[in-house]
């Protein structure tokens, strides 16, 4: 007896990496082993030394194939088994391990846009739909485009056992969101990559593509982000730690250090319009959707909880944003004795 393992990995495409996958047939009971691929076809190696290694890091049931089939998320290693230069998971593992005692958790809101050929799903041929305002969390065929795909994707994520916590229609027609978490830094990142793969794979069967392009339609249309919600044990217990984290993200060169790693094209999206803060300004505030970092109103009321970094683009690498936020905030909380 056999089962199919879909090996999924992150490639070397610049400036935004893509997902790749291929299938390995395994004998029933066999654990997915190390495998290899042609790095010269994924922007990860030169042709004369093209072999790279796939190291399984997370696996779950494959809801597309069903049965005993599995999805296997891999990190990319060199043939000497050191992390490849495109492997951003290894650096996160180090930082997450260093601050493990603070019990950091993340919930990431993944926004994305469906495309039918060259047009966002729901956009009329050669024109624009009615201006945005009625689409967010809307209902009805005049406002909602792609719900059957979204529902299928949610079911697939649940069947895979991912920690997906919700979905909603977004401000621009054809634009949607799902949330993964709250989970530990490595868990939320691994599971978000799998959820992204399932999104592309699910939409493929509807002849629709999904994109994480942060500004898929220029002009007066909302961009797509990946709001990153974050807390540590101390933040879940008290407001001083909430403020320490907000201040830490604004200190010195931190705003720019973060923003330049929050996804390609960040300055196109963080314009100060469309519920964003300008990319070159750092602010935080309660309930403020125009701030870089928002403290939800319940958090101020309860004097504890979590913060929302609203800056990351939809195309952000979750291994990078969770590493930066963990490092910046947990270092400051440690210094302040708020652990
Ligand atoms: P928004 O109002 O910004 O649209 P969402 O409901 O879409 O918020 O997303 C909020 C996210 O915050 C969810 O993924 C949720 O799991 C996450 N979250 C909730 N509590 C915490 C917490 N204590 N720490 C980190 N993330 C959290
Ligand atoms: Mn949301
Ligand atoms: Mn949203
Ligand atoms: Mn949000």
């Amino acid at each position: 007896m056999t089962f199919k393992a879909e090996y999924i990995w992150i490639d070397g495409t610049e400036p935004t990496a893509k997902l790749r996958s291929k299938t390995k047939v395994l004998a029933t009971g066999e654990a997915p082993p190390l495998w290899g691929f042609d790095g010269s076809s994924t922007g990860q190696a030169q042709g004369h030394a093209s072999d790279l290694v796939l190291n399984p890091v997370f696996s779950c049931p494959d809801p597309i194939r069903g049965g005993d089939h599995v999805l296997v998320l891999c990190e990319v290693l060199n043939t000497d088994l050191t992390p490849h230069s495109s492997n951003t998971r290894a650096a996160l593992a180090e930082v997450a391990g260093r601050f493990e005692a603070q019990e950091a958790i993340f919930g990431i809101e993944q926004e994305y846009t469906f495309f039918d050929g060259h047009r966002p799903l729901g956009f009329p041929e050669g024109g624009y739909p009615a201006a945005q305002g009625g689409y967010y969390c809307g209902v009805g065929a005049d406002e909602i485009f792609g719900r059957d795909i979204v529902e299928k994707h949610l079911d697939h994520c649940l069947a895979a056992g991912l920690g997906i916590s919700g979905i909603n229609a977004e401000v621009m027609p054809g634009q949607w969101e799902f949330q993964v978490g709250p989970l530990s830094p490595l868990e939320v990142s691994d599971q978000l990559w799998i959820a992204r793969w399932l999104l592309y794979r699910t939409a493929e069967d509807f002849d629709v593509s999904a994109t994480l392009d942060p500004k898929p339609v220029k002009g007066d249309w909302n961009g797509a982000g990946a709001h990153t919600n974050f807390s540590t044990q101390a933040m879940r217990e008290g407001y001083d730690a909430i403020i320490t984290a907000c201040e830490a993200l604004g200190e010195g060169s931190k705003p720019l250090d973060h923003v330049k790693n929050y996804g390609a094209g960040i300055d196109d999206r963080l314009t100060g319009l469309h519920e964003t803060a300008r990319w070159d300004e750092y602010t935080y505030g309660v309930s403020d959707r125009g701030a870089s970092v928002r403290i939800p109103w319940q958090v101020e009321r309860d004097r504890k909880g979590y913060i929302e970094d609203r800056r990351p683009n939809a195309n952000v690498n979750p291994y990078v944003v969770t590493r930066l936020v963990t490092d910046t905030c947990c270092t400051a909380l440690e210094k302040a004795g708020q652990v």
Side-chain angles (χ1 to χ4, degrees), residues 9-14 17-18 20 37-47 50 52 76 84-86:
W9 75 98
I10 298 147
D11 77 0
T13 303
E14 297 278 355
K18 285 172 8 107
R20 308 272 181 150
F37 72 100
D38 169 14
S40 71
S41 298
T42 60
Q44 285 163 302
Q46 302 293 321
S50 64
L52 290 176
V76 175
H84 182 261
S85 56
S86 65

Side-chain angles (χ1 to χ4, degrees), residues 109-111 136 168 170 177-179 227 229 289 294 308 310:
E109 305 168 49
Q110 177 69 68
E111 295 179 343
Y136 171 75
N168 62 268
E170 270 302 335
E177 169 180 316
F178 64 84
Q179 303 100 32
H227 299 166
N229 300 274
R289 287 175 195 268
R294 176 176 67 105
E308 175 192 48
R310 300 176 55 79

